[in-house]
Amino acid sequence: MEIKFWLNGKLIKDDVEPDTVLLEYVRSKGCMSVKRGCETANCGLCTVWVDNKPVLSCATLAVQVNNKKVTTLEGVQDRARDFGTFLAKEGAEQCGYCSPGFIMNVLAMEDELENPTEREIKEYLAGNLCRCTGYQGQLRAIKKYLARNKEA
Ligand code: FES
Ligand code: FES
């Protein structure tokens, strides 16, 4: 099927199979930040944005992004690097495999929620699993990052 969409701002026109999964497709286009985890919509590792909203690319078909805007970590590198320094300072960056999907959700939350409470943060990020950090460092990093941005 013919599709046309924007990947990190670049217009792409392509012919894709109807069953091509978005996770594989964006990786084939060079967006290797998008990680393969459970592939059953349970871990959040494969999160990308479609029209600025987080979606699980393992549970999305490439044809579903026709005429839409897809953003991966490669498309928000400056913000990701900035938040990444907060993660590192809190010791919440260990193997890093979950980080791209996690960061995509944190940045989407920042864009969507104004002054989120701890409970709202936890709820927003409940779909992001991490085998390494125990989550407390991630939470501290998010709170400090949001507080810094609020002051700015
Ligand atoms: S790989 Fe998509 S949610 Fe786990
Ligand atoms: S840092 Fe290793 S899975 Fe999250």
Side-chain angles (χ1 to χ4, degrees):
M1 293 177 68
E2 292 282 332
I3 60 167
K4 176 188 84 177
F5 73 108
W6 290 262
L7 180 58
N8 296 324
K10 185 178 164 202
L11 178 63
I12 293 184
K13 292 179 185 174
D14 209 353
D15 192 13
V16 297
E17 295 297 322
D19 60 353
T20 299
V21 176
L22 186 62
L23 166 61
E24 296 302 337
Y25 183 68
V26 292
R27 284 178 62 86
S28 77
K29 294 291 171 197
C31 297
M32 303 305 277
S33 73
V34 185
K35 296 291 181 265
R36 185 183 300 107
C38 64
E39 295 184 89
T40 54
N42 281 297
C43 75
L45 263 67
C46 64
T47 302
V48 302
W49 296 347
V50 175
D51 286 348
N52 297 325
K53 297 285 177 214
V55 304
L56 298 172
S57 63
C58 74
T60 305
L61 294 172
V63 292
Q64 290 176 280
V65 303
N66 189 33
N67 287 320
K68 297 190 174 170
K69 193 172 91 173
V70 177
T71 309
T72 68
L73 196 80
E74 286 84 354
V76 288
Q77 284 186 38
D78 290 347
R79 290 177 74 194
R81 198 173 295 117
D82 180 30
F83 176 60
T85 62
F86 283 79
L87 275 180
K89 277 185 197 152
E90 297 303 326
E93 185 79 333
Q94 292 180 27
C95 82
Y97 197 68
C98 68
S99 298
F102 174 65
I103 291 172
M104 292 307 283
N105 270 315
V106 170
L107 299 182
M109 179 184 71
E110 182 185 16
D111 292 342
E112 199 174 317
L113 305 182
E114 202 171 322
N115 297 325
T117 62
E118 182 170 322
R119 185 175 171 173
E120 286 174 320
I121 293 171
K122 285 181 176 171
E123 281 175 4
Y124 200 100
L125 299 169
N128 279 90
L129 303 186
C130 173
R131 289 188 307 182
C132 304
T133 69
Y135 303 107
Q136 290 307 311
Q138 291 181 343
L139 189 58
R140 287 195 305 273
I142 292 165
K143 285 179 174 174
K144 288 183 181 177
Y145 170 75
L146 294 177
R148 192 283 314 265
N149 286 357
K150 206 171 145 190
E151 283 169 15

